[in-house]
Amino acid sequence: MSIKTGQELRHPLMAVAACHHYPPAQIIRDLMRLHKASNETPNVLTAETIRKGRHDEDVFQASSASDLFKQLDI
């Protein structure tokens, strides 16, 4: 993959990479992974669990790890 950027992006990236002793390509890969993760759509159960957690609702109640695994079909 080739990426063309202007100097206004390239120079600051190179400076940050040099300061942190981190390869510029790794910074780009990290940004790509973050972008991918932030754009993934969770399945229905995950989305509902996230919604409940944000509203301080109980998601699961279990008496033990075995009970929780049973509820989760694990």
Side-chain angles (χ1 to χ4, degrees):
M1 173 186 290
S2 295
I3 299 173
K4 292 186 179 187
T5 64
Q7 297 299 324
E8 71 280 358
L9 292 175
R10 187 177 189 282
H11 287 307
L13 173 68
M14 299 302 283
V16 168
C19 282
H20 294 282
H21 306 286
Y22 206 65
Q26 186 62 48
I27 295 172
I28 299 298
R29 284 190 292 272
D30 292 346
L31 288 170
M32 292 171 71
R33 284 186 189 100
L34 285 171
H35 179 73
K36 178 183 174 279
S38 70
N39 287 292
E40 290 179 340
T41 304
N43 64 35
V44 175
L45 178 59
T46 302
E48 180 66 10
T49 302
I50 291 169
R51 185 196 66 73
K52 286 182 176 181
R54 288 181 178 157
H55 291 96
D56 293 329
E57 296 177 34
D58 287 335
V59 179
F60 287 100
Q61 291 195 9
S63 59
S64 66
S66 297
D67 183 30
L68 178 62
F69 293 152
K70 184 177 177 183
Q71 290 182 46
L72 295 173
D73 291 326
I74 297 177

